[in-house]
Amino acid sequence: MTSSTPSRGAAMWALLSLAIGSFGIGMTEFTMMGLLPDIAAELLPQAWAANQEDAIAQAGWLISLYALGVVVGAPTIAGSVARFPRHRVMIGLSLALTVFTALTVIAPSFGLVGASRFLAGLPHGAYFGIGALVAAEVLGPGKRAKGVAFVLTGLTLANVVGVPFGTFLGQQFGWRSAFAVVTGIFALTTVAIFFFVPRSPGQPGRTLRAELGVFRIPQVWFALATGAIGFGGFFAVYSYVAPLVTDVAGSPTWVVPLVLVVVGVGMTVGNIIGGHLADLNLRRTLLWGMALMAVVLAVLALTAGWIIALFATLLGMGLVSSALSPAIQTRLMDVSGDNQSIAAALNHSALNIGNSLGAFLGGIVIAAGLGYAAPAWVGVLLALAGLAIAVLAYRMQDRSRGGAAAESHRHIEPLPFD
C-alpha cells in the first residue's frame, strides 16, 4: 500500500495506529499531573515530611523536564528526519517512546526519573508533527485541520479514559504502574504503525539546515509565541489539578480521576469543534478562543472552592484549550512555507514551552504561599498575553500585504476578531 492510494479501510487503520500512539502520549504527559502528590511522597520523602506544598511544587519539575524534552526534540528530530520515509520515522519515534517511558518505570531516584522524563519528551513533537502530515496525506487535500485534529483525537481521548484510569491505577498500586501501562501502549503503537501506516517517501534532499530556515520567518515566531504563552494558562492550572480538587475544593482523592474525565471530555469535544472551526475561519478561532480561555480561567479562580463550579470550569478549560490546538498548528503550517515537517512539529514545542512555563509559574505562586487556586490567575495573564501576540501578528500580516489587497482585506475584516 502507498500513501497516495489507500483504501478507506486501510486509511482508517493507519489513522487508528497513529491515534493509539497519541493516546499513549496523552497518558504519559498528563497522568503525571494527577499523581504529583504520590510521586512527591515517594521520590522526595524529606521534602514531603517538611512541607507538602513545597514537595509538590518541586515534583512539578518533572512536568517541566518532559516539556523541555518536547521543546528540544521537536525541531531537531523533525528537521533531521524530513528526508526519510515517514512510516519508518514513525516506527522509530514510537519505539523511542516505548524505551524511554520504560525507563521512568524503573528509575530509582528523583534525578533519574527527571532524566527519563526529558528523554521521553524528545520524540513527542516529531511524532505529532510527522503524524499530522501522514494523516493529511491519508485524508486528502482540503482537510489539513481535520487531519491534525484526528491525530490529536487519541490525546484527547487519553484525557477522558487513559489519564483518569492511570491516575486511579497509580493511586491504588503506585504511580509507576501507570507508566508501565503507557509503556505497553507505545509497544502496541510500534507494531500497529509497522503493519498499517502507508509508506511515504518523505522529502528527499531536505536537510536540518534547510528546515531550520523556518526560523527566519517572523510570523512563525509570532505563532510559536502565541501557543507557548497562551497555552501556559491551561498548564498552570492543569499541572496542579490534584491539590486544586483536594485542598481548595475540599474533595477526597477519588474525585481527582472524575475531574480528569471531565477535562478530557472537554478536550475531546473541543478538538472536534476546533478542527472544523479552523478550516472555516482560522483567525476567528484563534483569537476568540484565546480570549475565551482568559475568561474561563478567571471564573475558575473565583469559584474553585465549590466542587460543582470546579467541574464546570475545568470542562470549559479543556474544551477551549483543545479547540485552539488545531488552529495554532494549522497557523504554523500556513506561515512556514516549504518547511512543513518542522513546522508541524514546532506546534508541540510551543505548547510544551507553555506546559513548562505554566507548571513553573504555577509552582512559584504555590511555593510563595498564595494557594493552589493562584495558578489560575497566572493563567489569565498568560492567556491575555497570548491573545495580544496573536492580534499583533495578524495586524502586521495585514499591513505587509500593502496596496489594494490590504485595503480589500480591511473592508472584509476591519477588526482582528471578525
Side-chain angles (χ1 to χ4, degrees), residues 22-23 26-27 29-31 33 152-165 234 238 257-268:
S22 64
F23 182 92
M27 279 195 70
E29 182 174 16
F30 296 123
T31 298
M33 298 168 181
L152 293 172
T153 296
L155 187 150
T156 57
L157 286 176
N159 284 277
V160 179
V161 180
V163 174
F165 171 73
F234 169 81
Y238 199 38
L258 299 181
V259 169
L260 295 175
V261 169
V262 169
V263 176
V265 169
M267 293 179 72
T268 301

Side-chain angles (χ1 to χ4, degrees), residues 241-291:
V241 67
L244 186 64
V245 171
T246 56
D247 289 44
V248 178
S251 297
T253 56
W254 61 263
V255 177
V256 175
L258 299 181
V259 169
L260 295 175
V261 169
V262 169
V263 176
V265 169
M267 293 179 72
T268 301
V269 174
N271 182 59
I272 297 170
I273 294 173
H276 177 70
L277 293 178
D279 278 333
L280 290 176
N281 192 311
L282 180 60
R283 178 183 293 206
R284 289 180 181 176
T285 302
L286 184 55
L287 296 179
W288 280 109
M290 203 64 76

Side-chain angles (χ1 to χ4, degrees), residues 148-404:
V148 171
F150 195 99
V151 175
L152 293 172
T153 296
L155 187 150
T156 57
L157 286 176
N159 284 277
V160 179
V161 180
V163 174
F165 171 73
T167 301
F168 175 79
L169 190 70
Q171 290 173 341
Q172 301 301 314
F173 301 103
W175 64 269
R176 296 177 190 273
S177 63
F179 289 93
V181 170
V182 177
T183 302
I185 292 172
F186 285 139
L188 175 62
T189 300
T190 305
V191 174
I193 290 175
F194 178 83
F195 284 107
F196 298 117
V197 169
R199 289 170 174 79
S200 174
Q203 295 177 286
R206 295 296 293 181
T207 64
L208 176 59
R209 181 177 181 180
E211 288 286 317
L212 291 178
V214 73
F215 291 110
R216 293 195 294 268
I217 304 172
Q219 284 294 337
V220 167
W221 285 103
F222 279 117
L224 290 173
T226 299
I229 296 175
F231 262 79
F234 169 81
F235 289 110
V237 174
Y238 199 38
S239 298
Y240 303 99
V241 67
L244 186 64
V245 171
T246 56
D247 289 44
V248 178
S251 297
T253 56
W254 61 263
V255 177
V256 175
L258 299 181
V259 169
L260 295 175
V261 169
V262 169
V263 176
V265 169
M267 293 179 72
T268 301
V269 174
N271 182 59
I272 297 170
I273 294 173
H276 177 70
L277 293 178
D279 278 333
L280 290 176
N281 192 311
L282 180 60
R283 178 183 293 206
R284 289 180 181 176
T285 302
L286 184 55
L287 296 179
W288 280 109
M290 203 64 76
L292 188 57
M293 173 67 76
V295 172
V296 170
L297 292 176
V299 174
L300 188 153
L302 294 171
T303 62
W306 294 275
I307 188 62
I308 299 300
L310 187 59
F311 268 98
T313 51
L314 287 173
L315 173 67
M317 183 186 75
L319 191 152
V320 176
S321 66
S322 198
L324 279 167
S325 188
I328 292 176
Q329 180 141 4
T330 304
R331 173 67 176 167
L332 269 170
M333 294 168 71
D334 281 346
V335 300
S336 64
D338 296 330
N339 308 290
Q340 292 291 295
S341 293
I342 194 169
L346 280 172
N347 178 50
H348 297 278
S349 286
L351 299 187
N352 279 273
I353 289 173
N355 187 342
S356 182
L357 180 66
F360 175 71
L361 294 178
I364 286 178
V365 295
I366 291 171
L370 298 179
Y372 290 114
W377 291 114
V378 173
V380 171
L381 296 177
L382 291 173
L384 290 175
L387 172 61
I389 293 169
V391 170
L392 176 61
Y394 277 114
R395 287 296 194 192
M396 292 184 66
Q397 175 181 287
D398 292 344
R399 288 171 187 161
S400 69
R401 289 173 178 171

